[in-house]
Amino acid sequence: MATLGDIGVSALINIISAFVFLLAFALLRIQPINDRVYFPKWYINGGRNSPRSSRNFVGKFVNLNICTYLTFLNWMPAALKMSETEIITHAGFDSAVFLRIYTLGLKIFFPITIVALLVLIPVNVSSGTLFFLRKELVVSDIDKLSISNVRPQSIRFFAHIGLEYLFTLWICYMLYKEYDNVAQMRLNFLASQRRRAEQFTVLVRNVPHSSGRSTSDVVDQFFHKNHPEHYLSHQAVYNANKFAKLAKKRARLQNWLDYYLLKFERHPDKRPTTKTGWFGICGRRVDAIEYYKKQMKDLDAKMALERQKIIKDPKAILPVAFVSFDSRWGAAVCAQTQQSKNPTLWLTNWAPEPYDVYWQNLAIPFVSLSIRKLVISLLVFALVFFYMIPIAFVQSLANLEGLERVAPFLRPVIELKFIKSFLQGFLPGLALKIFLYILPSVLMVMSKIEGHVAVSSLERRAAAKYYYFMLVNVFLGSIVTGTAFEQLDSFIHQSPTQIPRTIGVSIPMKATFFITYIMVDGWAGIASEILRLRPLVIFHLKNLFMVKTERDRAKAMDPGSVEFPETLPSLQLYFLLGIVYAVVTPILLPFILVFFAFAYLVYRHQIINVYNQQYESVGAFWPHVHSRIIASLLISQLLLLGLLSTKKAANSTPLLVALPILTLFFHKYCKNRFEPAFRKYPLEEAMAKDTLEKSTEPDLNVKAFLADAYLHPIFRSFEEEELSEVKVEKQKSPVHDDSSVSELSSPSPPHIVDNHHHHPQSPPHYIYHPQSPPHFVYPSYPSHQYAYSYDPEH
């Protein structure tokens, strides 16, 4: 078991690692060659130009300004300057709410840390019961600061119970206050939004088949009959998987053609050539421009044939449709009510944002969804128990004394001072971090198989799976397997009636392992997040070998979004550790506090300068955050109840019984009070926005606004290539011609219109007005560009 010296070695290693990462980041970020890696968001929104364009040859790669090296740590205060309103405008509501989780952790744990250290540490240290158990159990100096050190039947347990009530009361108060604030912020954000396609659109799944009629006719008739006053039109969904592959191949060919055209433009005296074989390294040498033009022409013909096949084949139209209404009120009524007496047909829900749609899963029928979810649940269950093997291995590293007693031949190697400190103080946390590295990707694939139709839903479901995994394996698994290894000799030689007593004393002792994990993951790990070493290497490798055009450079620079499926469960684990060990082993709390403060600073910087959120769920993940912190409270209360029962504290233990009941009552109240704001759209609010819009824009043509909102991106990309073989009404705006929109309800493909409303694959464009709430409008730039702009005169 790790001692104070081992924890000190681990702290030193992690502090040095974090400092090295931060120093490397501070130096790398000011080099011109790395500017697109550390400030991609400002390039995306057009607020930053490359510093390499106006410098000499050396200055294009290395910063020659000595003054910038003297102020290389100015990123820290700069990360704190932007207000929350500006962050919402700049990065979106989800990013601002994500940062509020870190501030919530600071608000919760700062006072708890002070009280626990001042009250519980003296209570635990002065008891000294582990002095009498040191021959039976493996103990360390840190364990003497925990509740394990309090003698059985001691009156001191009233201090732990009292603080458990106090901490629960404080956490519930902060949760209530934060839930109220986030819910109100969400409603205000929704009220301030401009007109958006998803406000008028409902996703309808499991449309019943009717012989002799197309899916579009069935949808049109059903909604004309049941929603006659507000039904506007619908967008059929096509199965275009093969067409998507062809479009992807065409994009690659276009990229190579652009590259050779640019090359020829720079050197017009020499025509570029390429080989026709594998990856251009073998085969006959030909003119590169003519070769790729011919390749694209042949592929265009194939795509035209495939498109016509999709149009003429009734089976290509899926039993899914995006149904649009002429008002938000009509859409809200449809999305939030049951449409048929058969609850498995005509399934309606709010349509995701156009760029949030996960198109591949729209064709999955209702029965298949249930089967998929069952299979994935079983696979997740099996995966959790499969991972118990590496977790047990990690715990064997953390508890060397227990192994020494059973396997004395390992003692000469283990007892080397530095090796022992390294194995117990640093390696267990690092090993666990490595074993968890690929897990989020695996869980995301499982969530996709489940059939969720929005990227935001996929990420929330993957985050839920990862949280359950962290709870069972990292927390409970580490305690159970760690206790077994730690007290192996005691387990083998004592009577079965004494095992519960041993476990009760040993559970608090796992704080040493979790302290090492917090330092590896929460200190050095967060520092490595801001360094962005992997994106840095990949960007320069792509620039060296793959970037041929500005479009390639933009793709290589793409920073992605905050990894919610991984970061949210990790955050919730830290809440769990802090809440559980606040009363049990309070010495762990300062490590938690450092994590929340450091991570808040780092992620604030990353959200402002790096990450570009793909979608806007308007804080839809907050109810999950709240409920899992409540779960952490319940676990801490039940754990303390079990610990006190092993301590024979019959007089004080019954006082804890009411606490879980009160916590559940509080959770139910919050769920009923705040969760509807995240799940439903109030009809009152919908009617108010509709009335205001009609009074301010009486000539608004909603049908024109929604004409191509949910057009499959494959069809749109096809149009953008201006294929002459396909009949596309380019530049024909439907604003003044409602007949063009009516074809959305027919089996033929919808018109593909290049209008100014939005692009379904483009992320949101936030425009900041200093005297009004942030507005959400649709961008008009190409699909590969993401833009956020500051416009004070809007």
Side-chain angles (χ1 to χ4, degrees), residues 175-194:
L175 285 176
Y176 178 87
K177 189 176 178 181
E178 199 69 18
Y179 213 155
D180 189 20
N181 289 338
V182 174
Q184 192 59 47
M185 287 171 58
R186 175 184 166 91
L187 293 175
N188 292 339
F189 183 82
L190 291 173
S192 69
Q193 282 181 322
R194 287 186 173 183

Side-chain angles (χ1 to χ4, degrees), residues 487-539:
Q487 313 301 342
L488 196 57
D489 185 66
S490 180
F491 267 65
I492 293 173
H493 296 98
Q494 69 183 359
S495 65
T497 57
Q498 295 298 311
I499 291 178
R501 168 177 167 269
T502 303
I503 293 178
V505 174
S506 301
I507 286 177
M509 299 177 185
K510 291 313 300 171
T512 55
F513 166 74
F514 289 122
I515 288 173
T516 64
Y517 178 76
I518 291 168
M519 288 189 289
V520 171
D521 182 70
W523 294 8
I526 293 298
S528 66
E529 155 69 27
I530 201 171
L531 179 59
R532 287 176 56 81
L533 184 60
R534 182 170 172 267
L536 177 69
V537 173
I538 291 176
F539 174 77

Side-chain angles (χ1 to χ4, degrees), residues 254-268:
Q254 181 67 57
N255 206 27
W256 279 107
L257 179 61
D258 291 344
Y259 167 68
Y260 284 116
L261 286 172
L262 286 173
K263 188 175 181 180
F264 181 62
E265 183 180 348
R266 292 169 183 167
H267 306 283

Side-chain angles (χ1 to χ4, degrees), residues 470-585:
M470 299 280 272
L471 174 63
V472 174
N473 271 6
V474 178
F475 182 69
L476 297 177
S478 294
I479 288 176
V480 173
T481 58
T483 300
F485 274 103
E486 194 170 281
Q487 313 301 342
L488 196 57
D489 185 66
S490 180
F491 267 65
I492 293 173
H493 296 98
Q494 69 183 359
S495 65
T497 57
Q498 295 298 311
I499 291 178
R501 168 177 167 269
T502 303
I503 293 178
V505 174
S506 301
I507 286 177
M509 299 177 185
K510 291 313 300 171
T512 55
F513 166 74
F514 289 122
I515 288 173
T516 64
Y517 178 76
I518 291 168
M519 288 189 289
V520 171
D521 182 70
W523 294 8
I526 293 298
S528 66
E529 155 69 27
I530 201 171
L531 179 59
R532 287 176 56 81
L533 184 60
R534 182 170 172 267
L536 177 69
V537 173
I538 291 176
F539 174 77
H540 287 304
L541 287 176
K542 286 183 176 180
N543 260 337
L544 188 62
F545 297 108
M546 300 176 65
V547 170
K548 299 175 286 296
T549 64
E550 284 300 318
R551 182 168 47 191
D552 286 343
R553 184 168 285 107
K555 290 180 180 179
M557 182 186 67
D558 182 19
S561 308
V562 177
E563 294 290 341
F564 286 144
E566 183 177 358
T567 53
L568 287 179
S570 298
L571 262 173
Q572 289 148 6
L573 176 66
Y574 285 108
F575 275 102
L576 175 65
L577 294 176
I579 293 172
V580 166
Y581 281 98
V583 173
V584 174
T585 310

Side-chain angles (χ1 to χ4, degrees), residues 257 271-272 286-296:
L257 179 61
R271 296 278 295 186
V286 295
D287 184 286
I289 295 176
E290 296 301 323
Y291 172 74
Y292 281 106
K293 281 184 177 179
K294 184 178 183 304
Q295 290 283 313
M296 289 181 63

Side-chain angles (χ1 to χ4, degrees), residues 624-638:
H624 302 288
V625 174
H626 175 89
S627 62
R628 286 161 196 165
I629 297 177
I630 292 291
S632 301
L633 270 176
L634 292 171
I635 292 172
S636 71
Q637 294 158 5
L638 295 176

Side-chain angles (χ1 to χ4, degrees), residues 419-461:
I419 292 179
K420 185 175 183 179
S421 296
F422 179 78
L423 290 177
Q424 293 191 324
F426 179 74
L427 190 60
L430 179 62
L432 182 58
K433 180 74 175 173
I434 292 172
F435 280 124
L436 296 177
Y437 182 74
I438 64 168
L439 193 61
S441 300
V442 174
L443 297 178
M444 175 58 79
V445 171
M446 290 183 171
S447 296
K448 290 179 180 178
I449 295 173
E450 278 185 320
H452 302 286
V453 297
V455 177
S456 55
S457 299
L458 285 171
E459 293 195 349
R460 288 197 296 273
R461 292 310 306 162

Side-chain angles (χ1 to χ4, degrees), residues 661-680:
I661 299 173
L662 295 174
T663 304
L664 287 172
F665 177 80
F666 168 77
H667 174 57
K668 185 176 181 181
Y669 173 78
C670 288
K671 187 179 180 70
N672 295 332
R673 171 65 180 84
F674 299 116
E675 192 166 320
F678 294 83
R679 299 288 178 258
K680 297 179 180 179

